[in-house]
Amino acid sequence: MREVKRLLSNRLLMVADLALPCEKVFDIGTDHCYLTIYLIQKGICKTAVATDIKEGPVRIAKRNVRLFGMEKHIDVFVADGISHVGDGCCVIIAGMGADVIVDILKKDMDSAKSCEWLILQCQSKTERLRAFLWDNGFAIEEEALINDRDKIYNAFRASYTGINQPYTEIDTIASEILAKRHHPLLPGYVSGYIKKLDDMIAGYREAGRDFTEEIKLKRALEELL
C-alpha cells in the first residue's frame, strides 16, 4: 500500500494526532483528501466522508482516493458546512480562518453539538474560535502546537458538554492545557501574538486612537513568558 504520510505537512500531521479512534470521520474542506486517507491508513478511522464547497478540490480528492485505493472507505462530494454530518460522528475542520469555522458551526449548531468530537485548526484568530466554543457549551479537551515552515499553528479537539466555561482574554490566547504541559512552542506562540499587538498599538497611536487595553493585554502576556 502506498503511504500518504510523506505528503502531509507538519500542520496536518498535528491535526491527525488529535484524532481519536472512530467509526467515521467527516473532513470538512478536504482540499486534497490526504488527511482523510492518512487516518484510514493508520486505522484511526474505519470510514470517512470528505467534502468541499468547490468542485475543483473535490475532483482532486476523488483522484487521490482512487490513487490510494480508498474507494471503499472514503466518500467524496461537494457540500457546504456540516448539515450532512450524522449524530455521534467525528468532524475535522482545518486550514480555514476562525471566522469561517465559526460560521460553519453557527449555521448548524445541532450537528456540531451531536458530534462525538470536533478537531478544529484555524489559520488566524484562534482566540475568537476558543471564545465561541466556550460561550456555546463546548469543552476543549486536548490541544497541540506545531512549527510548520516557520509558523506556529494551534489545533484542538472539542466536544459539546452544555456548560459555558468562564474565561479571560488571556485564556483565549494562551492555552491553559499547553501551559500546564510546559509546551516548548507556547512561548513562541505567545510572542507572535505580542508582535501582533505591537503592530496594532503602532497603528492606533498613528491614528490617534486609544490603546490602553492593548497595552494591558500585552503586559499580561509578557508575564507568561
Side-chain angles (χ1 to χ4, degrees), residues 71-109:
E71 298 96 324
K72 294 182 180 179
H73 302 281
I74 303 173
D75 291 325
V76 184
F77 52 84
V78 173
D80 185 8
I82 57 173
S83 60
H84 57 287
V85 174
D87 289 351
C89 288
C90 305
V91 168
I92 296 174
I93 309 176
M96 305 179 192
D99 291 339
V100 175
I101 295 177
V102 166
D103 286 345
I104 288 172
L105 298 177
K106 285 173 67 175
K107 189 176 178 181
D108 206 324
M109 284 293 283

Side-chain angles (χ1 to χ4, degrees), residues 2-225:
R2 294 186 60 182
E3 291 288 334
V4 75
K5 182 177 180 179
R6 63 184 179 82
L7 300 175
L8 288 174
S9 64
N10 288 339
R11 177 180 63 85
L12 287 179
L13 286 172
M14 169 188 65
V15 170
D17 285 344
L18 287 171
L20 297 175
C22 64
E23 288 293 322
K24 178 180 285 189
V25 66
F26 287 75
D27 180 14
I28 310 302
T30 188
D31 201 4
H32 39 55
C33 207
Y34 291 150
L35 174 61
T36 319
I37 294 168
Y38 176 76
L39 292 172
I40 300 293
Q41 285 188 342
K42 294 292 288 184
I44 297 170
C45 306
K46 294 181 180 179
T47 61
V49 173
T51 66
D52 203 282
I53 62 172
K54 296 181 179 179
E55 186 62 47
V58 166
R59 281 198 301 269
I60 294 171
K62 286 181 176 179
R63 182 191 65 194
N64 288 330
V65 166
R66 290 193 299 270
L67 186 63
F68 285 89
M70 289 286 165
E71 298 96 324
K72 294 182 180 179
H73 302 281
I74 303 173
D75 291 325
V76 184
F77 52 84
V78 173
D80 185 8
I82 57 173
S83 60
H84 57 287
V85 174
D87 289 351
C89 288
C90 305
V91 168
I92 296 174
I93 309 176
M96 305 179 192
D99 291 339
V100 175
I101 295 177
V102 166
D103 286 345
I104 288 172
L105 298 177
K106 285 173 67 175
K107 189 176 178 181
D108 206 324
M109 284 293 283
D110 287 342
S111 293
K113 291 177 180 179
S114 72
C115 291
E116 182 179 343
W117 48 253
L118 302 110
I119 295 175
L120 307 172
Q121 183 274 311
C122 54
Q123 305 292 79
S124 61
K125 299 181 182 177
T126 303
E127 66 279 4
R128 183 179 178 225
L129 181 54
R130 286 182 196 276
F132 172 81
L133 292 172
W134 288 333
D135 284 340
N136 288 277
F138 290 84
I140 296 175
E141 302 165 345
E142 183 58 285
E143 293 204 41
L145 289 173
I146 198 70
N147 189 317
D148 191 337
R149 298 181 182 180
D150 296 324
K151 181 175 179 179
I152 299 176
Y153 293 94
N154 181 213
F156 34 81
R157 187 178 65 245
S159 63
Y160 181 71
T161 64
I163 301 172
N164 292 14
Q165 178 177 323
Y167 61 89
T168 66
E169 190 170 8
I170 294 292
D171 294 330
T172 68
I173 300 165
S175 159
E176 183 179 357
I177 292 173
L178 298 176
K180 288 181 177 178
R181 199 176 294 160
H182 301 289
H183 196 291
L185 291 178
L186 187 58
Y189 183 80
V190 172
S191 294
Y193 197 89
I194 291 173
K195 174 62 169 61
K196 292 178 185 178
L197 283 173
D198 284 336
D199 293 342
M200 189 182 301
I201 290 166
Y204 283 2
R205 181 181 285 114
E206 186 175 341
R209 294 177 57 182
D210 179 71
F211 47 85
T212 304
E213 293 304 313
E214 286 72 23
I215 289 289
K216 289 180 181 178
L217 179 57
K218 177 185 174 182
R219 288 173 178 167
L221 288 172
E222 287 174 338
E223 291 179 2
L224 300 177
L225 300 178

